[in-house]
């Protein structure tokens, strides 16, 4: 069954363009060419525009008056406070650190406002008090600004703010699906009562729970499936941890060349890929794609281990990103019923995320992902 898209098309397009510009900026900076910071600044601005569009274009989950006012207030206050902080850092007493680029200052200010807005909006399903939204926004900017001052790129902070916006949207999309299931059950029970010559009201339906959930798959899990998902997650975690531990020791002895440790750690992505497909109950239809992606990941890692030259390393990274894009795009199409354009956007996003999130961290991020997937696997209950 085809689901409605999680994000409005305009928001998805804006954020996809921002991601492309961010990756382009990173590439330009890596090549020591001018213009990388400008591209990143434009990407941050587009991220903020996408957030504003998402929070403004709402249907049933639109912002209520309290949340909207609190978000506007805390975003404006955070922007002004950040501007004052930057001015103090640059021209404050006994702290001359030189001129701060106007574009960089604007980027930091916009990012701080976005971080405050996203954290303020995120708590709206749980509280109604104006002050609670304000304090949540203060927490967001209070984490974002020190990170940027410490040297973290504003693009990463903006990406976190965008992630909070997506999480908020996903929460209300899930609630909408659950309410739709409840309405269908109510209609069915009313029709059954009318067919039996009785008039059953909507309220107080016998046997109807207060809140009905809409699980994606209600088939029982076998012990073999649960054991396989847990084993694959632990294998991925073990591969990454051992690769990092042994890699550090060998690097100190001069026995390991740059990139070889990552090649071993990235093999954890193969186990995570297989585990994800099993968790989503899509192995029969995605078996061929999964094995193809796992094979490409293995070939790329073997190439880096055998010949860790720059040309081989970047070629292998490109092959790994293609493997991840192929698997994620096909999986998204199978789960969400997305069209070619949407699947291509998701696949491209996954490929860029591999370069930015996995390759740049040496694969250690895979260990955190493995912990999450193992916990999800442990929650699966085996039914007789």
């Amino acid at each position: 069954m085809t689901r409605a898209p999680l994000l409005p098309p305009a928001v998805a397009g804006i954020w996809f363009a921002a991601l492309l510009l961010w990756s382009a900026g990173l590439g330009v900076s890596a090549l020591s060419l001018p213009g990388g910071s400008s591209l990143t600044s434009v990407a941050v601005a587009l991220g903020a525009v996408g957030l504003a569009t998402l929070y403004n274009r709402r249907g049933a989950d639109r912002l209520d008056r309290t949340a909207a006012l609190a978000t506007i207030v805390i975003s404006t206050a955070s922007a002004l406070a950040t501007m004052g902080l930057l001015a103090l850092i640059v021209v404050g007493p006994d702290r001359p650190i030189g001129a701060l680029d106007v574009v960089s200052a604007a980027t930091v200010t916009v990012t701080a406002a976005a971080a405050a807005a996203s954290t303020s909006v995120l708590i709206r399903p749980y509280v109604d008090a104006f002050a609670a939204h304000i304090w949540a926004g203060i927490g967001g900017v209070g984490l974002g600004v020190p990170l940027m001052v410490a040297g973290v790129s504003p693009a990463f902070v903006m990406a976190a703010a965008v992630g909070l916006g997506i999480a908020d949207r996903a929460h209300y999309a899930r609630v909408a699906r659950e309410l739709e299931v409840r309405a269908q059950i109510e209609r069915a029970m009313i029709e059954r009562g009318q067919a039996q010559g009785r008039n059953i009201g909507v309220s107080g339906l016998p046997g109807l729970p207060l809140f009905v959930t809409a699980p994606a798959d209600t088939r029982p899990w076998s012990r073999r499936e649960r054991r396989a998902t847990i084993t694959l997650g632990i294998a991925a975690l073990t591969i990454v941890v051992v690769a990092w531990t042994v890699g550090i020791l060998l690097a100190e002895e001069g026995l390991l060349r740059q990139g070889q440790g990552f090649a071993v750690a990235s093999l954890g992505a193969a186990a995570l890929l297989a585990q994800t497909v099993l968790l989503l109950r899509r192995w029969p239809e995605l078996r061929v794609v999964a094995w193809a992606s796992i094979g490409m990941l293995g070939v790329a890692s073997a190439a880096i281990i055998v010949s860790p030259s720059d040309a081989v390393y970047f070629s292998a990274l490109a092959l790994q990103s293609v493997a991840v894009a192929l698997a994620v795009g096909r999986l998204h199409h199978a789960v969400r019923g997305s069209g070619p354009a949407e699947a291509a956007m998701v696949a491209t996003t996954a490929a860029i995320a591999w370069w930015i999130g996995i390759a740049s961290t040496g694969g250690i991020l895979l260990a955190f992902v493995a912990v999450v997937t193992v916990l999800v696997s442990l929650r699966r209950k085996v039914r007789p």
Side-chain angles (χ1 to χ4, degrees):
M1 185 176 101
T2 302
R3 291 183 183 179
L6 177 63
L7 299 174
V11 176
I14 291 172
W15 281 345
F16 185 65
L19 181 64
L20 294 179
L21 287 173
W22 182 21
S23 60
L26 291 176
V28 169
S29 299
L31 296 174
S32 300
L33 297 175
S37 59
S38 298
L39 291 173
T40 302
S41 298
V42 176
V44 169
L46 286 178
V49 171
L51 272 178
T53 305
L54 178 66
Y55 293 148
N56 186 48
R57 297 180 58 183
R58 293 265 179 185
D61 59 340
R62 64 184 180 275
L63 292 175
D64 57 25
R65 181 178 179 84
T66 300
L69 287 176
T71 300
I72 294 172
V73 170
I74 191 60
S75 298
T76 305
S78 299
L80 294 175
T82 304
M83 292 172 61
L85 176 63
L86 294 176
L88 182 63
I89 291 175
V90 174
V91 298
D94 300 327
R95 280 188 291 245
I97 65 171
L100 182 66
D101 182 74
V102 175
V103 175
S104 300
T107 302
V108 172
T109 302
V110 170
T111 304
S118 289
T119 49
S120 177
V121 169
L122 188 67
I123 69 167
R124 69 191 180 99
Y126 312 105
V127 296
D128 295 324
F130 186 89
H133 289 274
I134 295 295
W135 277 110
I138 291 174
V141 71
L143 291 174
V145 171
L147 286 174
M148 290 185 285
V149 172
V152 176
S153 172
F156 284 100
V157 180
M158 179 59 73
V162 168
L164 294 180
I166 295 175
D168 174 71
R169 184 73 171 185
H171 168 78
Y172 279 93
R174 184 175 65 253
V175 170
R177 290 196 302 270
E178 292 170 346
L179 292 176
E180 183 180 356
V181 170
R182 179 182 176 88
Q184 291 175 354
I185 295 175
E186 289 177 346
R187 287 194 297 268
M189 296 185 72
I190 291 173
E191 292 173 357
R192 186 167 65 248
Q194 292 175 346
Q196 296 174 357
R198 294 179 294 170
N199 187 12
I200 301 178
V202 174
S203 61
L205 293 176
L208 183 63
L210 180 62
F211 203 68
V212 182
T213 58
D217 196 330
T218 57
R219 291 176 296 170
W221 280 77
S222 66
R223 295 185 181 276
R224 180 181 179 183
E225 287 177 318
R226 186 173 184 271
R227 190 183 304 114
T229 55
I230 295 174
T231 302
L232 287 170
I234 294 176
L237 180 61
T238 303
I239 289 172
V240 177
V241 172
V242 171
W244 264 77
T245 304
V246 177
I248 292 174
L249 296 176
L250 294 180
E252 291 178 351
E253 299 294 332
L255 302 176
L256 194 68
R257 296 181 62 182
Q258 186 176 5
Q260 289 180 318
F262 167 74
V264 178
S266 63
L267 289 175
L272 284 175
L273 172 60
Q275 183 197 32
T276 302
V277 176
L278 287 175
L279 283 173
L280 295 176
R281 316 297 290 269
R282 300 288 177 173
W283 184 260
E285 58 184 301
L286 299 182
R287 183 188 297 111
V288 175
V289 174
W291 280 119
S293 298
I294 291 172
M296 286 191 286
L297 289 171
V299 169
S301 296
I304 297 175
I305 294 173
V306 173
S307 178
S309 62
D310 289 342
V312 174
Y313 177 74
F314 287 108
S315 298
L317 277 183
L319 181 61
Q320 288 177 333
S321 63
V322 170
V324 172
L326 176 64
V328 172
R330 183 66 183 87
L331 187 61
H332 186 272
H333 174 73
V335 174
R336 302 282 305 186
S338 57
E342 185 179 351
M345 288 178 60
V346 172
T348 304
T349 301
I352 295 174
W354 180 265
W355 285 81
I356 296 176
I358 305 301
S360 64
T361 60
I364 191 63
L365 188 61
L366 294 173
F368 296 94
V369 177
V371 171
V372 174
T373 56
V374 168
L375 293 177
V376 173
S377 300
L378 291 172
R379 292 187 60 186
R380 302 298 187 192
K381 303 300 183 182
V382 176
R383 300 178 182 176

